[in-house]
Amino acid sequence: MENEQRRLIRLKPNLQRRASICEFIRAFFKEKGFLEVETPIRVPVVAPELHITPFESETWFLSTSPELHMKRMLAAGYERLFQMSHSFRRDERGRWHNPEFTMLEWYRTGADYRQMIQDIEQLVVTLAGELGLNTTIKYRGQDIDISLPWPRITVRDAFLDAAGWDPVAKPDSLRFDTDLIAKVLPSFAPGRPTVLIDYPSAMAALARLKPDDAGVAERAEVFIGGLELANTYSELRDAREQERRFQEAIEQIRKEYGQQIAMPQQFLESIAHLPECGGVALGIDRLVMFLCNADSIDEVTAFTVDTV
């Protein structure tokens, strides 16, 4: 018990800063006319995604993301939504992962992934200012300049430069993941955030394809100090194409993991009414890690799976 008390006392400054960050996030979005919403944590179906394994809850699941419900709200006529929600994913534990984590997601109509990238940039810079930090932030011994705009590089160019192959022309998900960690991320300028844009279409199950290049999806990820901070894309609005992608994922999940995942039928029915929009999923725990100069998710979370 004494060790537990010492641990929680040590975490107090980071948890206080975490609370302030969440307050500033709410103020940021409310000032821009976003409505904060709450969607279910326990759900009958999740989006079929090969590398995301849900926790079962009787015959339902714990939510892996609020995305499907938030898009159903967009389809019903809401224009700007944000949510900070607890999400759950099995087999995710490490320095940057906990099976239960906090996700910030926001969506707005009339936008694509380019505008959503700008939202991410503005949010991080605004939070730093509210915390009394400047545009150079020290994280794990590295000075990181977050002044805008952040550098962008396409997946194709990043992999050709650092790994010597084109994952758009020759898709290979296993090689992609290996080379991203071992070769591509280390090639990014350590003192700047990097936005990796235009992912292979096979790696963007809910994203719109680029009109001039069907092999590329309008998806981007933001990396800061080695952290994968946020994922954004222009939302797919073609129900038949979305069903085809989901069906393909369902088959892969069944073959590789022996798990049966149902088709998100209500979500598919709502897509016909979905306006042009963009969305972002950002890891609150990782954002707090960056703004607290913390090495691990354990340093910014009161209770992890190991201490609960």
Side-chain angles (χ1 to χ4, degrees), residues 188-203:
F188 293 165
R192 290 283 279 157
T194 298
V195 185
L196 191 60
I197 65 172
D198 296 348
Y199 272 66
S201 58
M203 302 182 65

Side-chain angles (χ1 to χ4, degrees), residues 15 63 92 99 136 171 178 188 195 197 210 219 228 280 297:
L15 297 183
S63 176
E92 296 200 7
T136 299
T178 301
F188 293 165
V195 185
I197 65 172
K210 290 183 74 70
R219 174 190 172 192
E228 178 191 333
V280 175
I297 194 172

Side-chain angles (χ1 to χ4, degrees), residues 47-53 173 248-249 251-254 256-257:
E49 296 183 74
L50 182 60
H51 300 297
I52 295 178
T53 306
S173 60
E248 185 176 272
E251 287 300 315
Q252 287 181 300
I253 292 168
R254 183 185 60 81
E256 295 193 23
Y257 301 106

Side-chain angles (χ1 to χ4, degrees), residues 78-114:
Y78 293 81
E79 296 179 349
R80 296 186 173 208
L81 302 173
F82 82 98
Q83 179 173 191
M84 287 184 278
S85 67
H86 282 240
S87 298
F88 304 82
R89 297 178 183 181
R90 288 182 57 187
D91 305 323
E92 296 200 7
R93 180 64 177 124
R95 197 174 85 198
W96 300 333
H97 297 87
N98 190 58
E100 179 180 356
F101 60 100
T102 306
M103 184 91 82
L104 166 64
E105 294 203 14
W106 70 95
Y107 298 85
R108 59 185 175 101
T109 59
D112 64 13
Y113 74 138
R114 294 170 297 182

Side-chain angles (χ1 to χ4, degrees), residues 7 19 52 56 78 81 102-103 149 151 159 165 167 194 204 218 235 256 260 273 284-285 302:
R7 182 185 68 82
I52 295 178
E56 295 183 10
Y78 293 81
L81 302 173
T102 306
M103 184 91 82
F159 274 77
W165 66 289
T194 298
E218 294 186 347
E235 304 296 344
E256 295 193 23
Q260 298 293 334
H273 307 284
I284 290 285
D285 308 289

Side-chain angles (χ1 to χ4, degrees), residues 287-303:
L287 177 62
V288 175
M289 284 173 59
F290 175 64
L291 294 172
C292 288
N293 192 19
D295 186 61
S296 166
I297 194 172
D298 298 59
E299 297 176 27
V300 297
T301 306
F303 299 97

Side-chain angles (χ1 to χ4, degrees), residues 28-29 32 34 80 106 108 110-127 146-152 193-197 220-222 224 229-234 278-280 282:
F28 175 88
F29 284 106
K32 294 181 179 297
F34 283 74
R80 296 186 173 208
W106 70 95
R108 59 185 175 101
D112 64 13
Y113 74 138
R114 294 170 297 182
Q115 285 79 46
M116 306 311 288
I117 291 168
Q118 293 175 358
D119 281 357
I120 299 167
E121 293 175 320
Q122 292 168 6
L123 174 64
V124 174
V125 169
T126 298
L127 292 176
I146 62 169
S147 60
L148 305 182
W150 296 347
R152 285 125 164 92
T194 298
V195 185
L196 191 60
I197 65 172
E221 287 195 300
V222 175
I224 302 182
L229 182 68
N231 181 38
T232 179
Y233 39 83
S234 308
V280 175
L282 183 150

